Amino acid sequence: MKTNPTNILLWLIVSLLGASAVGGIALHRGESINALWFITAALCIYAISYRFYAAWIAATVLSIDPSRATPAERLSNGRDYVPTHRWIVFGHHFAAIAGPGPLVGPTLAAQFGYLPGTLWILFGAVLGGCVQDMTTLFFSTRRNGKSLGQMARDELGAIGGSAALIATFLIMTILIAVLGLVVVNAMKNSPWATSTVAATIPIAMLVGLYMYKLRPGRVLEGSALGVVLLLMAVAGGGWLDGQAGLRVWFDHPGLSLAFAVIVYGFAAAILPVWLLLAPRDYLSTFVKLGTVVLLALAIVWLRPDIKMPALTQFVDGSGPIFGGKLFPFVFITIACGAISGFHALIASGTTPKLLSNERDIRMIGYGGMLMESLVAMMAMIAATVLDPGVYFAINSPAGVVGKTATEAVATISAWGFPVTVEQMNLLAQQMGEATLFARTGGAPSLAVGMASIFGSTFGQGMLAMWYHFAIMFEAIFILTTLDAGTRVGRFMLQDMLGNLWPAMGRTSWYPSVLLSSGLVVAAWGYFLYIGVIDPNGGVNILWPLFGISNQILAAIALCVATGIMVKSGKLKYAWITVLPLIWLVIITSTASWQKLASSDPRIGFIAAANSLSDKLAAGALPPDKAAVAPQLIFNQQLDAVLVLFFVVLLWLIVGDMLRVCARHLRGKPVPPLAETAYHPSELEQAWVRD
Amino acid sequence: MGARLKLIDVCQSFWQAVRQLSGDDGYERYLAHHAAAHPGTSPLSRSAWFAHRQQQKWSGVNRCC
């Protein structure tokens, strides 16, 4: 570390600025606070943690060795193992880890106020998420790019390996269902949104044909064509919305849209990847990067005021969007923006096979997650610049605030967040929608937030256009995650079924493809269906379930990293993964326990099932609710089993890790370190470095 | 004159980065790798290479939440 006076002064200034920004956010109580404070706090904390904590982890804890040949160099094959420039790897890695999660989580967590979510996005990322991503990337790189599941099996044992595999499969199922629900809630009874999202399918196929048949491999040409067509689809949806004869074709309730998403998911899983999945991914990546940059510029340019209070009364667990107290549910809800177990799957798969030098691990593993955290921060800003009354009106399900607009505004205003029917009608009209009430899930309120930020920066006249652009933007990569997740689930299932019946394991055997795709789609389709028919909005059930499972996967990744560190004789540094691990075990176990045992039917699954069956037995339910009650009761019981299973999985792997560490420390035999032997790097440093 | 040349250079390297980031130059890089690693054998055609590449890219966990 260089210790010249200018350097010290610079970092002193950054530290002071960061500390006063965080202090300002945390202690501010008043009318409103400017969003620029959030960006300043984030950038300072990221800079300090990257410069000092990440550098220390790289040099001292992991002992990163730039002279060591990476798997990409040793096994270079021009296909998956390719030594690649670090900025290119960074781009690929960030595009892979940044999905809709960091946008949805903070938007939902804003029901507690801006403060808890913001602090967790900042400190959870620099102390937890970034460390998880970086250590997993490092250990996988030292093992020829092995997956998290393989590392768990090699380093800990069969229990760890199986737990990681099963957890991944279940998380995928819940994740796809909840993302499907977010899209459905954004599209229901909105011909503009539905037609625009529907148009992305033929557009992606057209781009696929272009890239595969017309001009093979010309990715940029195809993507440029696709982005232009997508923008036309947003505008075209507005035109279509005005045509009485056409709009009825796209005006559907949630349930029909849910079935459409299920059918689409099945089709996407069995179609060739070049036709739908690959081109959709190119489009979503470009649109995603473009929008995130635009949003950042707009926030800096406009410097909007945050209108949400620092804390709301819903920290007591009575929140309308999801039930549960601040602790532990803010941590469960933010999920991906602070720490995401899913990243460990990317950091132990594609990315380590591209690294040209171990030195790049800090920038890609730690830095990539910092960027994701910044995206989450912007989502938090976009949600909290809305009037709190408007935010709650958009996000609260009808089952909580009442079915009619009058009931809803009365309930929300009574909470101390004034909002009027006229205000909501005007807003809906500006956004080109019939209504914005009860669009639970985060996408619509984020879209309203983004539209108002973009509208104020680039002109108010196009609010409806910005709103539907934002909806399209979220839908396009939610659907990419849905397609990709269904395929990965299919491969995993084929792999598992292949153990029982070898023919099923052949990934290109059509009966096996159809059966396993069908099973995966049925699994997430079931949760999506239940989520749509649930009068409390489904998000209330599914998002916490997803958050718990995602954080449990993160705990598994941290267990693997801790085990490897202890076995490598780095016990004294193991706290860098042990501290976030302990925290994750506490929050996921507490959340799981409350989900099982809470007597509040909005939190506890069993309490909810019992309360509903009591009402059903007493005849207290109206006929439409009584009809679906048995399904909802069964689902609540199933969710209880699922959450119990997750937490048992977690404790199994924590126990396995502790067993391996204890044996190692007492000098008993443990599975040996699977690290590959040292080979000196021969890559010409000049072209690799710049 | 010098400044203009420099600007062109910057634009060119930016364009190269965009192409590499998006995979637009993937086939050219494949040809280079093929010529170096397997001299004397004929490489895949552009469309066969692209299909193979996509298939491979999407057979693992590749996108996150």
Side-chain angles (χ1 to χ4, degrees):
Chain A
M1 205 176 284
K2 280 190 220 107
T3 47
N4 71 52
T6 352
N7 235 332
I8 295 175
L9 189 68
L10 177 77
W11 285 107
L12 214 61
I13 292 171
V14 173
S15 312
L16 282 173
L17 191 61
S20 38
V22 174
I25 294 170
L27 302 175
H28 182 91
R29 297 289 179 276
E31 279 300 294
S32 58
I33 177 171
N34 198 282
L36 221 49
W37 284 108
F38 290 65
I39 300 286
T40 310
L43 294 180
C44 292
I45 288 180
Y46 297 159
I48 293 166
S49 59
Y50 183 79
R51 173 63 184 81
F52 297 101
Y53 191 44
W56 175 77
I57 293 177
T60 309
V61 181
L62 303 177
S63 310
I64 275 175
D65 183 354
S67 77
R68 190 185 179 107
T70 60
E73 178 184 348
R74 281 184 290 109
L75 309 172
S76 173
N77 60 7
R79 292 199 307 275
D80 44 353
Y81 291 95
V82 186
T84 309
H85 190 281
R86 58 185 168 154
W87 280 107
I88 308 293
V89 188
F90 184 85
H92 281 288
H93 183 75
F94 179 66
I97 62 171
L103 297 177
V104 177
T107 310
L108 300 179
Q111 80 164 3
F112 293 126
Y114 67 75
L115 186 59
T118 300
L119 292 180
W120 179 236
I121 289 170
L122 290 180
F123 293 102
V126 299
L127 298 175
C130 296
V131 176
Q132 175 212 246
D133 290 16
M134 182 175 167
T135 50
T136 309
L137 178 59
F138 173 77
F139 290 127
S140 177
T141 306
R142 285 277 172 103
R143 284 158 183 76
N144 289 344
K146 275 196 182 151
S147 72
L148 179 68
Q150 282 169 316
M151 288 199 286
R153 194 167 28 216
D154 294 347
E155 303 288 343
L156 301 179
I159 296 178
S162 318
L165 191 70
I166 295 168
T168 313
F169 183 76
L170 289 175
I171 291 167
M172 204 89 80
T173 308
I174 303 289
L175 168 72
I176 298 173
V178 73
L179 292 180
L181 187 61
V182 169
V183 178
V184 165
N185 281 343
M187 295 196 297
K188 71 180 174 196
N189 299 114
S190 165
W192 189 342
T194 309
S195 60
T196 304
V197 174
T200 63
I201 300 168
I203 290 173
M205 288 176 150
L206 208 66
V207 171
L209 283 168
Y210 185 93
M211 286 183 189
Y212 184 61
K213 297 276 185 203
L214 257 90
R215 301 263 296 153
R218 265 73 169 204
V219 169
L220 282 177
E221 287 171 23
S223 306
L225 171 77
V227 170
V228 171
L229 289 175
L230 284 178
L231 295 179
M232 285 167 62
V234 175
W239 171 82
L240 182 142
D241 196 31
Q243 312 295 312
L246 284 174
R247 75 191 301 279
V248 291
W249 289 90
F250 294 96
D251 190 356
H252 297 290
L255 199 55
S256 326
L257 292 169
F259 283 116
V261 168
I262 291 169
V263 171
Y264 164 80
F266 183 70
I270 58 173
L271 284 176
V273 282
W274 62 263
L275 183 58
L276 185 55
L277 177 55
R280 177 190 280 291
D281 179 63
Y282 282 115
L283 296 181
S284 77
T285 307
F286 282 109
V287 173
K288 176 164 64 188
L289 291 178
T291 310
V292 165
V293 171
L294 206 61
L295 187 59
L297 291 177
I299 288 175
V300 172
W301 175 255
L302 183 68
R303 302 184 300 279
D305 276 338
I306 303 291
K307 297 193 185 120
M308 182 70 78
L311 290 169
T312 66
Q313 67 267 43
F314 302 127
V315 295
D316 68 356
S318 62
I321 305 170
F322 57 90
K325 283 195 175 122
L326 181 68
F327 175 86
F329 285 99
V330 72
F331 308 103
I332 297 295
T333 309
I334 295 278
C336 317
I339 176 164
S340 170
F342 230 86
H343 293 184
L345 304 180
I346 308 283
S348 66
T350 325
T351 308
K353 298 175 185 166
L354 298 174
L355 290 176
S356 54
N357 193 298
E358 284 191 1
R359 198 170 5 201
D360 303 343
I361 285 174
R362 170 162 71 127
M363 170 177 147
I364 290 150
Y366 202 94
M369 180 65 210
L370 287 180
M371 282 289 285
E372 169 117 337
S373 171
L374 184 62
V375 172
M377 189 57 99
M378 290 197 292
M380 179 58 94
I381 291 172
T384 50
V385 295
L386 295 176
D387 271 326
V390 170
Y391 165 86
F392 284 110
I394 299 175
N395 281 306
S396 303
V400 179
V401 289
K403 270 205 167 134
T404 67
T406 328
E407 282 169 10
V409 296
T411 317
I412 295 165
S413 300
W415 288 333
F417 303 113
V419 60
T420 62
V421 177
E422 294 72 37
Q423 193 184 355
M424 287 303 292
N425 285 347
L426 176 67
L427 190 66
Q429 195 197 339
Q430 283 176 330
M431 300 296 162
E433 289 289 309
T435 174
L436 288 170
F437 279 107
R439 293 198 175 270
T440 319
S445 75
L446 181 60
V448 172
M450 279 167 67
S452 58
I453 292 174
F454 285 146
S456 314
T457 314
F458 305 108
Q460 287 283 356
M462 306 224 303
L463 270 179
M465 220 47 117
W466 283 118
Y467 174 83
H468 290 92
F469 171 79
I471 292 285
M472 180 277 288
F473 150 77
E474 285 171 85
I476 190 170
F477 65 93
I478 285 183
L479 292 177
T480 306
T481 306
L482 188 141
D483 297 359
T486 306
R487 286 186 81 86
V488 170
R490 183 192 110 196
F491 289 130
M492 288 179 161
L493 196 61
Q494 282 183 309
D495 200 36
M496 287 187 245
L497 292 176
N499 293 328
L500 308 173
W501 178 21
M504 283 302 292
R506 279 165 32 212
T507 47
S508 53
W509 187 48
Y510 236 71
S512 164
V513 171
L514 291 179
L515 179 70
S516 48
S517 303
L519 286 174
V520 172
V521 173
W524 62 254
Y526 164 77
F527 287 104
L528 173 57
Y529 165 75
I530 294 287
V532 171
I533 63 170
D534 188 336
N536 287 327
V539 167
N540 180 42
I541 293 182
L542 282 174
W543 191 264
L545 212 50
F546 159 69
I548 290 174
S549 57
N550 186 18
Q551 304 294 291
I552 283 182
L553 189 58
I556 293 176
L558 290 168
C559 276
V560 172
T562 307
I564 295 178
M565 266 197 276
V566 171
K567 281 163 58 181
S568 327
K570 303 217 161 168
L571 180 65
K572 68 172 169 173
Y573 298 128
W575 58 266
I576 65 156
T577 51
V578 170
L579 288 185
L581 174 62
I582 292 175
W583 182 242
L584 287 185
V585 170
I586 292 173
I587 60 165
T588 51
S589 301
T590 316
S592 304
W593 173 249
Q594 293 189 4
K595 282 304 209 183
L596 280 174
S598 169
S599 57
D600 178 351
R602 292 202 60 239
I603 302 172
F605 289 132
I606 295 171
N610 292 343
S611 131
L612 201 56
S613 50
D614 290 349
K615 279 188 199 158
L616 186 64
L621 292 175
D624 57 326
K625 282 190 180 167
V628 295
Q631 284 167 308
L632 294 179
I633 293 168
F634 170 75
N635 181 57
Q636 300 273 11
Q637 288 161 342
L638 177 70
D639 293 339
V641 174
L642 208 55
V643 111
L644 185 66
F645 182 72
F646 280 142
V647 83
V648 168
L649 218 53
L650 169 72
W651 280 99
L652 262 181
I653 191 157
V654 170
D656 209 24
M657 183 271 287
L658 290 175
R659 181 186 62 88
V660 169
C661 291
R663 284 179 66 87
H664 174 78
L665 295 175
R666 279 182 291 149
K668 292 192 175 167
V670 289
L673 281 174
E675 189 168 294
T676 50
Y678 175 87
H679 286 276
S681 173
E682 288 165 10
L683 275 184
E684 187 63 64
Q685 292 296 310
W687 78 265
V688 179
R689 302 312 319 157
D690 41 43
Chain B
M1 193 63 197
R4 185 187 292 176
L5 273 181
K6 200 157 189 188
L7 188 67
I8 292 172
D9 272 0
V10 169
C11 289
Q12 267 175 349
S13 51
F14 177 73
W15 178 239
Q16 282 310 319
V18 171
R19 289 197 68 206
Q20 211 183 340
L21 205 51
S22 61
D24 200 58
D25 65 348
Y27 187 63
E28 289 139 54
R29 279 189 286 145
Y30 161 75
L31 286 183
H33 169 84
H34 190 90
H38 317 280
T41 59
S42 57
L44 294 173
S45 73
R46 209 178 232 283
S47 60
W49 167 82
F50 187 68
H52 179 260
R53 194 70 201 86
Q54 295 303 326
Q55 200 61 47
Q56 188 199 23
K57 180 174 171 186
W58 292 103
S59 12
V61 182
N62 201 12
R63 283 298 174 263
C64 218
C65 37

